[in-house]
Amino acid sequence: VKIMSVKSLSDQVYEFVVKLIQNGEVYVGDKISEGFLVEKMGISRTPIREALIQLSADDILENVPRKGFFVKRVDEKKKNDIYSLIGMLDSYAIGKAMPKMTDEVINELENAIKKMDMAISLQVYEQYYEYQEMFHELYRNRCGNDAVGDTIKYLEKKIIRVTYFDPDIENLYSMLSQMNDEHRHILEAIKSGDVEESKKRVYEHWHDDARDSLFEE
């Protein structure tokens, strides 16, 4: 029997702050105060402090002495270095997973792409993010190395300012549509059984100029 893990209060606060950043509700340089989180979440300050300290340790927030916690800007070189690492890990994952890409998995990948198309058209970008995660996890979970997916999630935390929020709706629609086209190219390579092409497509997905421009602050 698989036991479902229950997220601690500090984990819930951590995720709440991340969502604020992802959804464009707070920006680089904005203060994240304990009082604000107490009011929003209705919990005590102890788990809130634990979450803020962890967010600071993960380079998402900056702890300024006697002033508080502020949303931190991602260094451009660091962001690119992290993308390179994620690209290499994800490329490795799909290469190892290719022998396990059954018709059932391929159908699930196709459904994830369709759901992303729908999320883009309806402008529900948080759902787009969830379906994108679903797409990538379908092959990561079959690569035979759980540490790959765990490491990618850890690295993604370091660039949490990478969001799907943009006041320019037309630009956002165009960029996300292009990114989903990249998912289609990945799927085509999987269907063809071409391991090297699949690895190449996944690696390039993390190094696309359009993606970089979308996520510029």
Side-chain angles (χ1 to χ4, degrees), residues 11-54:
D11 285 341
Q12 292 176 42
V13 175
Y14 189 110
E15 291 187 359
F16 179 78
V17 173
V18 165
K19 291 293 184 184
L20 290 177
I21 299 169
Q22 285 181 325
N23 295 336
E25 295 178 54
V26 293
Y27 301 91
V28 169
D30 284 354
K31 183 177 182 178
I32 308 293
S33 70
E34 291 182 20
F36 167 78
L37 294 173
V38 167
E39 180 182 346
K40 285 289 185 181
M41 304 195 71
I43 60 177
S44 70
R45 290 180 180 267
T46 299
I48 288 173
R49 287 188 187 123
E50 290 174 355
L52 291 174
I53 289 169
Q54 187 59 53

Side-chain angles (χ1 to χ4, degrees), residues 42-215:
I43 60 177
S44 70
R45 290 180 180 267
T46 299
I48 288 173
R49 287 188 187 123
E50 290 174 355
L52 291 174
I53 289 169
Q54 187 59 53
L55 285 159
S56 179
D58 287 340
D59 286 334
I60 296 168
L61 301 181
E62 182 177 6
N63 185 5
V64 180
R66 297 183 296 280
K67 291 186 178 180
F69 294 86
F70 298 82
V71 180
K72 191 173 182 180
R73 181 179 296 278
V74 178
D75 176 81
E76 190 68 21
K77 182 181 183 303
K78 179 178 180 180
K79 182 183 75 173
N80 291 333
D81 288 346
I82 289 172
Y83 279 152
S84 292
L85 282 174
I86 293 176
M88 287 187 285
L89 287 168
D90 219 15
S91 178
Y92 168 86
I94 199 166
K96 291 294 184 181
M98 282 294 282
K100 303 173 185 176
M101 293 291 101
T102 62
D103 289 342
E104 181 181 354
V105 177
I106 288 172
N107 287 336
E108 290 184 62
L109 289 166
E110 288 178 331
N111 286 333
I113 290 173
K114 289 177 183 177
K115 288 177 179 178
M116 280 185 274
D117 280 333
M118 183 65 69
I120 294 168
S121 66
L122 296 176
Q123 298 179 19
V124 284
Y125 300 124
E126 188 170 347
Q127 288 187 19
Y128 173 90
Y129 177 80
E130 291 174 1
Y131 297 139
Q132 178 187 248
E133 286 295 296
M134 181 191 304
F135 178 90
H136 292 291
E137 287 179 0
L138 279 166
Y139 59 81
R140 288 175 191 164
N141 291 342
R142 289 165 175 80
C143 77
N145 188 336
D146 292 341
V148 171
D150 292 341
T151 304
I152 288 174
K153 288 179 180 179
Y154 171 78
L155 290 170
E156 286 179 329
K157 284 183 179 181
K158 301 293 186 180
I159 46 174
I160 206 66
R161 268 74 67 214
V162 173
T163 75
Y164 298 113
F165 172 83
D166 189 329
D168 186 340
I169 299 300
E170 290 186 8
N171 178 62
L172 185 58
Y173 179 89
S174 175
M175 295 301 178
L176 292 184
S177 295
Q178 181 173 332
M179 287 171 64
N180 208 23
D181 284 341
E182 293 171 12
H183 293 134
R184 291 186 177 86
H185 295 321
I186 292 169
L187 181 56
E188 288 169 6
I190 291 172
K191 285 181 174 180
S192 70
D194 191 329
V195 175
E196 291 307 312
E197 181 67 12
S198 298
K199 292 172 67 175
K200 176 187 173 188
R201 289 290 187 177
V202 167
Y203 184 80
E204 289 177 348
H205 179 62
W206 289 98
H207 294 78
D208 185 81
D209 291 340
R211 178 179 182 133
D212 289 343
S213 66
L214 172 62
F215 299 143

